[in-house]
Amino acid sequence: MEEAKEREKLTLVTRKSYFGLPTSFPNCLPVYAYLKFSNTLFDLDFNLINPDSDQIPYVEYSTYVAYNNEKGGVICSLIKDGFVDLDSQVRGIPEWISAKAMVDSWLADAIIYKLWVGSDGTFAHKIY
Protein backbone atom coordinates (compact mmCIF):
# COMPACT_ATOMS: atom_id res chain seq x y z
CA MET A 1 0.00 0.00 0.00
CA GLU A 2 2.94 2.36 0.61
CA GLU A 3 3.91 2.15 -3.07
CA ALA A 4 0.35 2.94 -4.14
CA LYS A 5 0.27 5.96 -1.82
CA GLU A 6 3.40 7.33 -3.45
CA ARG A 7 2.02 6.96 -7.00
CA GLU A 8 -1.43 8.44 -6.54
CA LYS A 9 -2.22 11.93 -5.35
CA LEU A 10 -4.48 12.88 -2.52
CA THR A 11 -7.28 15.32 -3.28
CA LEU A 12 -7.98 18.11 -0.80
CA VAL A 13 -11.56 19.34 -1.11
CA THR A 14 -12.20 22.86 0.19
CA ARG A 15 -14.26 25.96 -0.50
CA LYS A 16 -13.45 28.20 -3.43
CA SER A 17 -10.32 30.31 -3.26
CA TYR A 18 -10.41 34.04 -2.62
CA PHE A 19 -8.38 36.82 -0.99
CA GLY A 20 -5.33 35.54 -2.91
CA LEU A 21 -5.36 32.38 -0.78
CA PRO A 22 -5.85 28.82 -2.03
CA THR A 23 -9.12 28.61 -0.10
CA SER A 24 -11.41 31.16 1.49
CA PHE A 25 -12.33 28.87 4.39
CA PRO A 26 -10.08 29.25 7.45
CA ASN A 27 -10.51 25.62 8.53
CA CYS A 28 -9.01 24.50 5.22
CA LEU A 29 -5.80 26.54 5.47
CA PRO A 30 -4.11 24.40 8.15
CA VAL A 31 -4.74 21.22 6.13
CA TYR A 32 -3.49 22.90 2.93
CA ALA A 33 -0.34 24.18 4.69
CA TYR A 34 0.25 20.81 6.36
CA LEU A 35 0.17 18.96 3.04
CA LYS A 36 2.37 21.58 1.35
CA PHE A 37 4.99 21.61 4.12
CA SER A 38 5.14 17.82 4.12
CA ASN A 39 5.76 17.79 0.34
CA THR A 40 2.73 15.57 -0.17
CA LEU A 41 1.43 15.46 -3.73
CA PHE A 42 -2.21 16.52 -3.79
CA ASP A 43 -4.78 18.11 -6.02
CA LEU A 44 -6.98 20.94 -4.83
CA ASP A 45 -10.68 20.64 -5.59
CA PHE A 46 -13.63 22.77 -4.54
CA ASN A 47 -17.00 21.67 -3.19
CA LEU A 48 -19.35 24.05 -4.98
CA ILE A 49 -22.54 22.15 -4.13
CA ASN A 50 -22.37 22.30 -0.33
CA PRO A 51 -19.71 24.84 0.74
CA ASP A 52 -21.04 25.06 4.31
CA SER A 53 -20.71 21.36 5.05
CA ASP A 54 -19.07 20.55 8.38
CA GLN A 55 -17.14 17.84 6.51
CA ILE A 56 -15.07 20.45 4.64
CA PRO A 57 -12.14 20.23 4.34
CA TYR A 58 -11.76 16.60 3.48
CA VAL A 59 -9.11 14.53 1.76
CA GLU A 60 -9.90 11.81 -0.77
CA TYR A 61 -7.61 9.03 -1.89
CA SER A 62 -9.16 6.28 -3.99
CA THR A 63 -11.87 4.89 -1.65
CA TYR A 64 -10.34 6.52 1.46
CA VAL A 65 -11.86 9.77 2.77
CA ALA A 66 -10.73 11.76 5.82
CA TYR A 67 -13.44 14.21 6.86
CA ASN A 68 -12.95 17.28 9.02
CA ASN A 69 -15.74 16.29 11.40
CA GLU A 70 -14.51 12.73 12.08
CA LYS A 71 -11.70 11.17 14.12
CA GLY A 72 -10.10 14.43 15.26
CA GLY A 73 -10.12 16.09 11.86
CA VAL A 74 -8.33 15.62 8.57
CA ILE A 75 -4.76 16.02 9.82
CA CYS A 76 -5.22 13.56 12.70
CA SER A 77 -6.82 11.05 10.33
CA LEU A 78 -3.98 11.35 7.81
CA ILE A 79 -1.40 10.83 10.55
CA LYS A 80 -3.27 7.91 12.15
CA ASP A 81 -3.84 6.17 8.82
CA GLY A 82 -0.19 6.55 7.76
CA PHE A 83 -0.49 9.00 4.88
CA VAL A 84 1.64 11.84 6.26
CA ASP A 85 3.16 12.88 9.60
CA LEU A 86 4.91 16.21 9.33
CA ASP A 87 4.73 16.82 13.07
CA SER A 88 7.12 13.96 13.79
CA GLN A 89 9.74 15.64 11.56
CA VAL A 90 9.37 19.22 12.80
CA ARG A 91 7.83 18.94 16.25
CA GLY A 92 10.77 20.65 18.01
CA ILE A 93 11.27 23.49 15.53
CA PRO A 94 9.95 26.74 17.06
CA GLU A 95 9.18 28.26 13.67
CA TRP A 96 6.79 25.41 12.84
CA ILE A 97 4.92 25.78 16.10
CA SER A 98 4.48 29.53 15.66
CA ALA A 99 3.52 29.23 11.96
CA LYS A 100 0.92 26.58 12.76
CA ALA A 101 -0.51 28.71 15.57
CA MET A 102 -0.62 31.76 13.28
CA VAL A 103 -2.59 29.96 10.58
CA ASP A 104 -4.95 28.40 13.12
CA SER A 105 -5.68 31.62 14.97
CA TRP A 106 -5.30 35.16 13.66
CA LEU A 107 -5.21 34.39 9.93
CA ALA A 108 -8.41 32.40 10.28
CA ASP A 109 -10.01 35.21 12.27
CA ALA A 110 -8.94 37.79 9.69
CA ILE A 111 -10.51 35.80 6.85
CA ILE A 112 -13.78 35.36 8.71
CA TYR A 113 -13.88 39.07 9.54
CA LYS A 114 -13.15 40.09 5.94
CA LEU A 115 -15.74 37.68 4.60
CA TRP A 116 -18.66 38.62 6.85
CA VAL A 117 -17.98 42.05 8.39
CA GLY A 118 -15.23 43.91 6.56
CA SER A 119 -16.79 43.89 3.12
CA ASP A 120 -20.00 44.75 1.33
CA GLY A 121 -20.89 41.10 0.86
CA THR A 122 -19.45 40.61 -2.62
CA PHE A 123 -16.79 38.22 -1.29
CA ALA A 124 -19.40 35.97 0.29
CA HIS A 125 -21.56 36.15 -2.84
CA LYS A 126 -18.66 34.98 -5.05
CA ILE A 127 -17.80 32.13 -2.69
CA TYR A 128 -21.36 30.92 -2.17
Side-chain angles (χ1 to χ4, degrees), residues 8 14 26 29 35-36 45-46 62-63 70-71 73 88-90 96-97 117 123 125 127:
E8 293 184 42
T14 68
L29 288 175
L35 292 173
K36 280 291 191 183
D45 198 7
F46 304 112
S62 187
T63 59
E70 294 179 354
K71 299 186 277 184
S88 67
Q89 301 166 14
V90 296
W96 168 248
I97 296 166
V117 179
F123 295 127
H125 181 68
I127 293 167

Side-chain angles (χ1 to χ4, degrees), residues 1 5 10 40 61 64 77-85:
M1 182 153 170
K5 287 181 189 176
L10 300 172
T40 302
Y61 173 80
Y64 173 85
S77 294
L78 292 174
I79 292 169
K80 179 182 165 194
D81 297 334
F83 283 90
V84 63
D85 189 3

Side-chain angles (χ1 to χ4, degrees), residues 32 36 50 54 57 112 116 119 128:
Y32 181 87
K36 280 291 191 183
N50 194 7
D54 62 344
I112 291 171
W116 296 111
S119 70
Y128 291 101

Side-chain angles (χ1 to χ4, degrees), residues 31-45:
V31 179
Y32 181 87
Y34 196 88
L35 292 173
K36 280 291 191 183
F37 286 142
S38 67
N39 293 323
T40 302
L41 295 176
F42 70 96
D43 291 321
L44 187 61
D45 198 7

Side-chain angles (χ1 to χ4, degrees), residues 64-77 80-81:
Y64 173 85
V65 180
Y67 290 109
N68 187 51
N69 63 346
E70 294 179 354
K71 299 186 277 184
V74 175
I75 294 173
C76 289
S77 294
K80 179 182 165 194
D81 297 334

